[in-house]
mmCIF file of all heavy atoms in Angstrom:
data_model
loop_
_atom_site.group_PDB
_atom_site.id
_atom_site.type_symbol
_atom_site.label_atom_id
_atom_site.label_comp_id
_atom_site.label_asym_id
_atom_site.label_seq_id
_atom_site.Cartn_x
_atom_site.Cartn_y
_atom_site.Cartn_z
ATOM 1 N N GLN C 507 15.985 0.613 0.321
ATOM 2 C CA GLN C 507 16.517 0.105 -0.961
ATOM 3 C C GLN C 507 15.514 0.261 -2.116
ATOM 4 O O GLN C 507 15.888 0.640 -3.227
ATOM 5 C CB GLN C 507 16.896 -1.379 -0.823
ATOM 6 C CG GLN C 507 18.193 -1.610 -0.087
ATOM 7 C CD GLN C 507 18.492 -3.095 0.019
ATOM 8 O OE1 GLN C 507 17.582 -3.900 0.225
ATOM 9 N NE2 GLN C 507 19.746 -3.454 -0.104
ATOM 10 N N THR C 508 14.248 -0.047 -1.844
ATOM 11 C CA THR C 508 13.254 -0.028 -2.917
ATOM 12 C C THR C 508 13.030 1.386 -3.453
ATOM 13 O O THR C 508 13.037 1.617 -4.673
ATOM 14 C CB THR C 508 11.916 -0.640 -2.433
ATOM 15 O OG1 THR C 508 12.169 -1.932 -1.931
ATOM 16 C CG2 THR C 508 10.900 -0.719 -3.554
ATOM 17 N N ILE C 509 12.859 2.342 -2.542
ATOM 18 C CA ILE C 509 12.588 3.713 -2.991
ATOM 19 C C ILE C 509 13.807 4.292 -3.712
ATOM 20 O O ILE C 509 13.677 5.050 -4.676
ATOM 21 C CB ILE C 509 12.145 4.631 -1.802
ATOM 22 C CG1 ILE C 509 11.530 5.937 -2.328
ATOM 23 C CG2 ILE C 509 13.273 4.935 -0.856
ATOM 24 C CD1 ILE C 509 10.208 5.786 -3.021
ATOM 25 N N ARG C 510 15.015 3.861 -3.313
ATOM 26 C CA ARG C 510 16.217 4.320 -4.018
ATOM 27 C C ARG C 510 16.249 3.795 -5.456
ATOM 28 O O ARG C 510 16.558 4.528 -6.389
ATOM 29 C CB ARG C 510 17.484 3.877 -3.259
ATOM 30 C CG ARG C 510 17.954 4.877 -2.213
ATOM 31 C CD ARG C 510 19.417 4.678 -1.838
ATOM 32 N NE ARG C 510 19.685 3.351 -1.289
ATOM 33 C CZ ARG C 510 19.474 2.991 -0.028
ATOM 34 N NH1 ARG C 510 18.996 3.903 0.820
ATOM 35 N NH2 ARG C 510 19.723 1.771 0.395
ATOM 36 N N ALA C 511 15.916 2.512 -5.598
ATOM 37 C CA ALA C 511 15.908 1.912 -6.961
ATOM 38 C C ALA C 511 14.845 2.576 -7.815
ATOM 39 O O ALA C 511 15.071 2.845 -9.022
ATOM 40 C CB ALA C 511 15.637 0.413 -6.843
ATOM 41 N N ILE C 512 13.669 2.847 -7.243
ATOM 42 C CA ILE C 512 12.590 3.519 -7.976
ATOM 43 C C ILE C 512 13.059 4.911 -8.397
ATOM 44 O O ILE C 512 12.884 5.309 -9.558
ATOM 45 C CB ILE C 512 11.313 3.623 -7.098
ATOM 46 C CG1 ILE C 512 10.675 2.239 -6.941
ATOM 47 C CG2 ILE C 512 10.314 4.612 -7.689
ATOM 48 C CD1 ILE C 512 9.650 2.162 -5.819
ATOM 49 N N GLY C 513 13.694 5.630 -7.488
ATOM 50 C CA GLY C 513 14.182 6.971 -7.769
ATOM 51 C C GLY C 513 15.217 7.000 -8.882
ATOM 52 O O GLY C 513 15.201 7.860 -9.760
ATOM 53 N N GLN C 514 16.132 6.012 -8.858
ATOM 54 C CA GLN C 514 17.177 5.948 -9.890
ATOM 55 C C GLN C 514 16.568 5.721 -11.276
ATOM 56 O O GLN C 514 16.910 6.386 -12.244
ATOM 57 C CB GLN C 514 18.197 4.831 -9.573
ATOM 58 C CG GLN C 514 19.154 5.223 -8.477
ATOM 59 C CD GLN C 514 19.924 4.023 -7.918
ATOM 60 O OE1 GLN C 514 19.687 2.883 -8.327
ATOM 61 N NE2 GLN C 514 20.820 4.286 -6.996
ATOM 62 N N ALA C 515 15.623 4.777 -11.346
ATOM 63 C CA ALA C 515 14.983 4.464 -12.623
ATOM 64 C C ALA C 515 14.163 5.660 -13.138
ATOM 65 O O ALA C 515 14.216 5.990 -14.321
ATOM 66 C CB ALA C 515 14.067 3.240 -12.473
ATOM 67 N N ALA C 516 13.450 6.323 -12.229
ATOM 68 C CA ALA C 516 12.629 7.485 -12.615
ATOM 69 C C ALA C 516 13.522 8.643 -13.070
ATOM 70 O O ALA C 516 13.238 9.320 -14.040
ATOM 71 C CB ALA C 516 11.742 7.925 -11.449
ATOM 72 N N ARG C 517 14.649 8.852 -12.365
ATOM 73 C CA ARG C 517 15.532 9.981 -12.669
ATOM 74 C C ARG C 517 16.056 9.879 -14.108
ATOM 75 O O ARG C 517 16.103 10.861 -14.826
ATOM 76 C CB ARG C 517 16.702 10.007 -11.668
ATOM 77 C CG ARG C 517 17.647 11.178 -11.875
ATOM 78 C CD ARG C 517 18.733 11.185 -10.819
ATOM 79 N NE ARG C 517 19.458 9.910 -10.767
ATOM 80 C CZ ARG C 517 20.361 9.494 -11.670
ATOM 81 N NH1 ARG C 517 20.629 10.265 -12.711
ATOM 82 N NH2 ARG C 517 20.963 8.339 -11.542
ATOM 83 N N VAL C 518 16.413 8.667 -14.532
ATOM 84 C CA VAL C 518 16.942 8.468 -15.879
ATOM 85 C C VAL C 518 15.909 8.894 -16.929
ATOM 86 O O VAL C 518 16.217 9.622 -17.877
ATOM 87 C CB VAL C 518 17.361 6.987 -16.095
ATOM 88 C CG1 VAL C 518 17.688 6.718 -17.543
ATOM 89 C CG2 VAL C 518 18.565 6.648 -15.205
ATOM 90 N N GLU C 519 14.657 8.449 -16.741
ATOM 91 C CA GLU C 519 13.628 8.757 -17.733
ATOM 92 C C GLU C 519 13.195 10.227 -17.688
ATOM 93 O O GLU C 519 12.884 10.825 -18.696
ATOM 94 C CB GLU C 519 12.423 7.837 -17.561
ATOM 95 C CG GLU C 519 12.654 6.516 -18.225
ATOM 96 C CD GLU C 519 11.361 5.813 -18.581
ATOM 97 O OE1 GLU C 519 10.296 6.437 -18.584
ATOM 98 O OE2 GLU C 519 11.449 4.604 -18.864
ATOM 99 N N ILE C 520 13.154 10.794 -16.482
ATOM 100 C CA ILE C 520 12.780 12.217 -16.367
ATOM 101 C C ILE C 520 13.846 13.069 -17.042
ATOM 102 O O ILE C 520 13.547 14.043 -17.715
ATOM 103 C CB ILE C 520 12.553 12.614 -14.893
ATOM 104 C CG1 ILE C 520 11.352 11.875 -14.302
ATOM 105 C CG2 ILE C 520 12.338 14.133 -14.771
ATOM 106 C CD1 ILE C 520 11.205 12.003 -12.791
ATOM 107 N N ALA C 521 15.111 12.663 -16.887
ATOM 108 C CA ALA C 521 16.213 13.400 -17.534
ATOM 109 C C ALA C 521 16.083 13.348 -19.065
ATOM 110 O O ALA C 521 16.335 14.340 -19.749
ATOM 111 C CB ALA C 521 17.563 12.826 -17.091
ATOM 112 N N GLU C 522 15.620 12.192 -19.583
ATOM 113 C CA GLU C 522 15.389 12.083 -21.026
ATOM 114 C C GLU C 522 14.273 13.030 -21.466
ATOM 115 O O GLU C 522 14.344 13.672 -22.497
ATOM 116 C CB GLU C 522 15.019 10.634 -21.390
ATOM 117 C CG GLU C 522 16.200 9.701 -21.467
ATOM 118 C CD GLU C 522 15.752 8.249 -21.726
ATOM 119 O OE1 GLU C 522 14.619 8.065 -22.183
ATOM 120 O OE2 GLU C 522 16.554 7.359 -21.456
ATOM 121 N N ALA C 523 13.202 13.071 -20.659
ATOM 122 C CA ALA C 523 12.035 13.905 -20.999
ATOM 123 C C ALA C 523 12.366 15.408 -20.913
ATOM 124 O O ALA C 523 11.904 16.199 -21.744
ATOM 125 C CB ALA C 523 10.854 13.584 -20.083
ATOM 126 N N THR C 524 13.184 15.793 -19.926
ATOM 127 C CA THR C 524 13.485 17.222 -19.718
ATOM 128 C C THR C 524 14.734 17.641 -20.490
ATOM 129 O O THR C 524 15.002 18.835 -20.631
ATOM 130 C CB THR C 524 13.736 17.517 -18.224
ATOM 131 O OG1 THR C 524 14.789 16.665 -17.756
ATOM 132 C CG2 THR C 524 12.474 17.283 -17.393
ATOM 133 N N GLU C 525 15.485 16.625 -20.982
ATOM 134 C CA GLU C 525 16.720 16.890 -21.729
ATOM 135 C C GLU C 525 17.726 17.697 -20.898
ATOM 136 O O GLU C 525 18.396 18.612 -21.391
ATOM 137 C CB GLU C 525 16.430 17.608 -23.062
ATOM 138 C CG GLU C 525 15.568 16.760 -23.978
ATOM 139 C CD GLU C 525 15.253 17.433 -25.311
ATOM 140 O OE1 GLU C 525 15.395 18.676 -25.397
ATOM 141 O OE2 GLU C 525 14.869 16.716 -26.268
ATOM 142 N N CYS C 526 17.799 17.375 -19.584
ATOM 143 C CA CYS C 526 18.809 18.005 -18.728
ATOM 144 C C CYS C 526 19.057 17.096 -17.518
ATOM 145 O O CYS C 526 18.243 16.220 -17.222
ATOM 146 C CB CYS C 526 18.381 19.386 -18.272
ATOM 147 S SG CYS C 526 16.965 19.379 -17.128
ATOM 148 N N PRO C 527 20.204 17.251 -16.820
ATOM 149 C CA PRO C 527 20.461 16.435 -15.635
ATOM 150 C C PRO C 527 19.392 16.673 -14.575
ATOM 151 O O PRO C 527 18.895 17.772 -14.384
ATOM 152 C CB PRO C 527 21.842 16.924 -15.158
ATOM 153 C CG PRO C 527 22.445 17.625 -16.323
ATOM 154 C CD PRO C 527 21.306 18.200 -17.115
ATOM 155 N N VAL C 528 19.036 15.601 -13.851
ATOM 156 C CA VAL C 528 17.961 15.690 -12.857
ATOM 157 C C VAL C 528 18.452 15.187 -11.497
ATOM 158 O O VAL C 528 19.114 14.161 -11.390
ATOM 159 C CB VAL C 528 16.746 14.809 -13.326
ATOM 160 C CG1 VAL C 528 15.761 14.592 -12.176
ATOM 161 C CG2 VAL C 528 16.044 15.457 -14.515
ATOM 162 N N HIS C 529 18.135 15.958 -10.480
ATOM 163 C CA HIS C 529 18.354 15.541 -9.082
ATOM 164 C C HIS C 529 16.958 15.272 -8.512
ATOM 165 O O HIS C 529 16.168 16.209 -8.345
ATOM 166 C CB HIS C 529 19.053 16.632 -8.269
ATOM 167 C CG HIS C 529 20.303 17.146 -8.945
ATOM 168 N ND1 HIS C 529 21.503 16.478 -8.891
ATOM 169 C CD2 HIS C 529 20.502 18.245 -9.717
ATOM 170 C CE1 HIS C 529 22.405 17.165 -9.589
ATOM 171 N NE2 HIS C 529 21.817 18.236 -10.106
ATOM 172 N N LEU C 530 16.648 14.024 -8.241
ATOM 173 C CA LEU C 530 15.283 13.635 -7.825
ATOM 174 C C LEU C 530 15.278 13.172 -6.373
ATOM 175 O O LEU C 530 16.066 12.321 -5.962
ATOM 176 C CB LEU C 530 14.774 12.512 -8.720
ATOM 177 C CG LEU C 530 13.374 11.950 -8.424
ATOM 178 C CD1 LEU C 530 12.310 13.034 -8.597
ATOM 179 C CD2 LEU C 530 13.074 10.746 -9.309
ATOM 180 N N PHE C 531 14.388 13.744 -5.578
ATOM 181 C CA PHE C 531 14.242 13.388 -4.164
ATOM 182 C C PHE C 531 12.809 12.902 -3.939
ATOM 183 O O PHE C 531 11.851 13.631 -4.227
ATOM 184 C CB PHE C 531 14.554 14.584 -3.276
ATOM 185 C CG PHE C 531 15.959 15.112 -3.459
ATOM 186 C CD1 PHE C 531 16.233 16.047 -4.454
ATOM 187 C CD2 PHE C 531 16.996 14.615 -2.672
ATOM 188 C CE1 PHE C 531 17.540 16.510 -4.644
ATOM 189 C CE2 PHE C 531 18.296 15.073 -2.848
ATOM 190 C CZ PHE C 531 18.566 16.014 -3.845
ATOM 191 N N LEU C 532 12.672 11.673 -3.433
ATOM 192 C CA LEU C 532 11.344 11.082 -3.213
ATOM 193 C C LEU C 532 11.045 10.946 -1.720
ATOM 194 O O LEU C 532 11.910 10.543 -0.935
ATOM 195 C CB LEU C 532 11.289 9.694 -3.857
ATOM 196 C CG LEU C 532 11.474 9.625 -5.386
ATOM 197 C CD1 LEU C 532 11.352 8.180 -5.855
ATOM 198 C CD2 LEU C 532 10.434 10.487 -6.103
ATOM 199 N N PHE C 533 9.803 11.250 -1.355
ATOM 200 C CA PHE C 533 9.330 11.090 0.010
ATOM 201 C C PHE C 533 8.061 10.270 -0.033
ATOM 202 O O PHE C 533 7.270 10.417 -0.956
ATOM 203 C CB PHE C 533 9.054 12.486 0.639
ATOM 204 C CG PHE C 533 10.226 13.412 0.567
ATOM 205 C CD1 PHE C 533 10.385 14.272 -0.523
ATOM 206 C CD2 PHE C 533 11.203 13.404 1.561
ATOM 207 C CE1 PHE C 533 11.491 15.121 -0.614
ATOM 208 C CE2 PHE C 533 12.303 14.249 1.487
ATOM 209 C CZ PHE C 533 12.447 15.107 0.401
ATOM 210 N N VAL C 534 7.874 9.395 0.955
ATOM 211 C CA VAL C 534 6.679 8.530 0.969
ATOM 212 C C VAL C 534 5.828 8.899 2.177
ATOM 213 O O VAL C 534 6.328 8.900 3.313
ATOM 214 C CB VAL C 534 7.064 7.032 1.029
ATOM 215 C CG1 VAL C 534 5.815 6.167 0.872
ATOM 216 C CG2 VAL C 534 8.099 6.696 -0.053
ATOM 217 N N LYS C 535 4.564 9.216 1.936
ATOM 218 C CA LYS C 535 3.652 9.597 3.029
ATOM 219 C C LYS C 535 2.374 8.796 2.972
ATOM 220 O O LYS C 535 1.911 8.425 1.884
ATOM 221 C CB LYS C 535 3.316 11.090 2.934
ATOM 222 C CG LYS C 535 4.499 12.031 3.196
ATOM 223 C CD LYS C 535 4.037 13.474 3.169
ATOM 224 C CE LYS C 535 5.240 14.399 3.380
ATOM 225 N NZ LYS C 535 4.844 15.811 3.225
ATOM 226 N N VAL C 536 1.799 8.577 4.129
ATOM 227 C CA VAL C 536 0.506 7.903 4.220
ATOM 228 C C VAL C 536 -0.582 8.984 4.181
ATOM 229 O O VAL C 536 -0.546 9.931 4.956
ATOM 230 C CB VAL C 536 0.390 7.079 5.512
ATOM 231 C CG1 VAL C 536 -1.019 6.456 5.605
ATOM 232 C CG2 VAL C 536 1.444 5.989 5.558
ATOM 233 N N ARG C 537 -1.520 8.828 3.272
ATOM 234 C CA ARG C 537 -2.687 9.718 3.247
ATOM 235 C C ARG C 537 -3.902 8.821 3.084
ATOM 236 O O ARG C 537 -4.244 8.400 1.980
ATOM 237 C CB ARG C 537 -2.586 10.730 2.106
ATOM 238 C CG ARG C 537 -3.767 11.696 2.084
ATOM 239 C CD ARG C 537 -3.691 12.638 0.905
ATOM 240 N NE ARG C 537 -2.909 13.807 1.210
ATOM 241 C CZ ARG C 537 -2.378 14.597 0.276
ATOM 242 N NH1 ARG C 537 -2.556 14.303 -0.986
ATOM 243 N NH2 ARG C 537 -1.688 15.658 0.587
ATOM 244 N N GLU C 538 -4.518 8.513 4.211
ATOM 245 C CA GLU C 538 -5.673 7.588 4.188
ATOM 246 C C GLU C 538 -6.819 8.224 3.422
ATOM 247 O O GLU C 538 -7.048 9.431 3.462
ATOM 248 C CB GLU C 538 -6.102 7.247 5.611
ATOM 249 C CG GLU C 538 -5.092 6.364 6.338
ATOM 250 C CD GLU C 538 -5.529 6.030 7.746
ATOM 251 O OE1 GLU C 538 -6.739 6.191 8.032
ATOM 252 O OE2 GLU C 538 -4.682 5.590 8.527
ATOM 253 N N ASN C 539 -7.542 7.372 2.724
ATOM 254 C CA ASN C 539 -8.752 7.791 1.988
ATOM 255 C C ASN C 539 -8.494 8.899 0.956
ATOM 256 O O ASN C 539 -9.360 9.693 0.676
ATOM 257 C CB ASN C 539 -9.843 8.271 2.974
ATOM 258 C CG ASN C 539 -10.206 7.185 3.968
ATOM 259 O OD1 ASN C 539 -10.261 6.034 3.607
ATOM 260 N ND2 ASN C 539 -10.422 7.581 5.213
ATOM 261 N N TRP C 540 -7.241 8.947 0.400
ATOM 262 C CA TRP C 540 -7.010 9.982 -0.599
ATOM 263 C C TRP C 540 -7.912 9.787 -1.806
ATOM 264 O O TRP C 540 -8.245 10.746 -2.494
ATOM 265 C CB TRP C 540 -5.535 10.054 -1.003
ATOM 266 C CG TRP C 540 -5.057 8.968 -1.911
ATOM 267 C CD1 TRP C 540 -4.374 7.848 -1.561
ATOM 268 C CD2 TRP C 540 -5.241 8.862 -3.325
ATOM 269 N NE1 TRP C 540 -4.125 7.042 -2.642
ATOM 270 C CE2 TRP C 540 -4.637 7.651 -3.763
ATOM 271 C CE3 TRP C 540 -5.845 9.665 -4.285
ATOM 272 C CZ2 TRP C 540 -4.631 7.230 -5.082
ATOM 273 C CZ3 TRP C 540 -5.831 9.247 -5.615
ATOM 274 C CH2 TRP C 540 -5.244 8.053 -6.001
ATOM 275 N N ALA C 541 -8.352 8.547 -2.043
ATOM 276 C CA ALA C 541 -9.219 8.279 -3.199
ATOM 277 C C ALA C 541 -10.625 8.867 -2.993
ATOM 278 O O ALA C 541 -11.467 8.782 -3.899
ATOM 279 C CB ALA C 541 -9.295 6.795 -3.475
ATOM 280 N N ASP C 542 -10.908 9.439 -1.804
ATOM 281 C CA ASP C 542 -12.178 10.108 -1.586
ATOM 282 C C ASP C 542 -12.021 11.626 -1.459
ATOM 283 O O ASP C 542 -12.935 12.315 -1.024
ATOM 284 C CB ASP C 542 -12.841 9.570 -0.302
ATOM 285 C CG ASP C 542 -13.231 8.099 -0.445
ATOM 286 O OD1 ASP C 542 -13.622 7.716 -1.548
ATOM 287 O OD2 ASP C 542 -13.094 7.358 0.534
ATOM 288 N N ASP C 543 -10.832 12.136 -1.828
ATOM 289 C CA ASP C 543 -10.557 13.566 -1.682
ATOM 290 C C ASP C 543 -10.715 14.268 -3.050
ATOM 291 O O ASP C 543 -9.969 13.991 -3.978
ATOM 292 C CB ASP C 543 -9.111 13.716 -1.167
ATOM 293 C CG ASP C 543 -8.709 15.176 -0.982
ATOM 294 O OD1 ASP C 543 -9.489 16.067 -1.356
ATOM 295 O OD2 ASP C 543 -7.606 15.421 -0.453
#
């Protein structure tokens, strides 16, 4: 539910920025220690 709500909110604003319809697909991955990469 949470990632769907995030995706819906982001899609609306990205569509405004790109001035075209947007199909947005989000994936969530764990990447440990990415802040040291």
Side-chain angles (χ1 to χ4, degrees):
Q507 283 179 321
T508 304
I509 194 69
R510 270 200 300 277
I512 289 165
Q514 284 166 357
R517 182 178 55 75
V518 170
E519 278 204 15
I520 295 169
E522 281 176 18
T524 57
E525 298 180 341
C526 68
V528 166
H529 309 279
L530 179 63
F531 299 87
L532 298 181
F533 306 91
V534 187
K535 292 184 182 174
V536 177
R537 183 183 272 161
E538 290 181 17
N539 302 322
W540 75 260
D542 294 324
D543 180 354

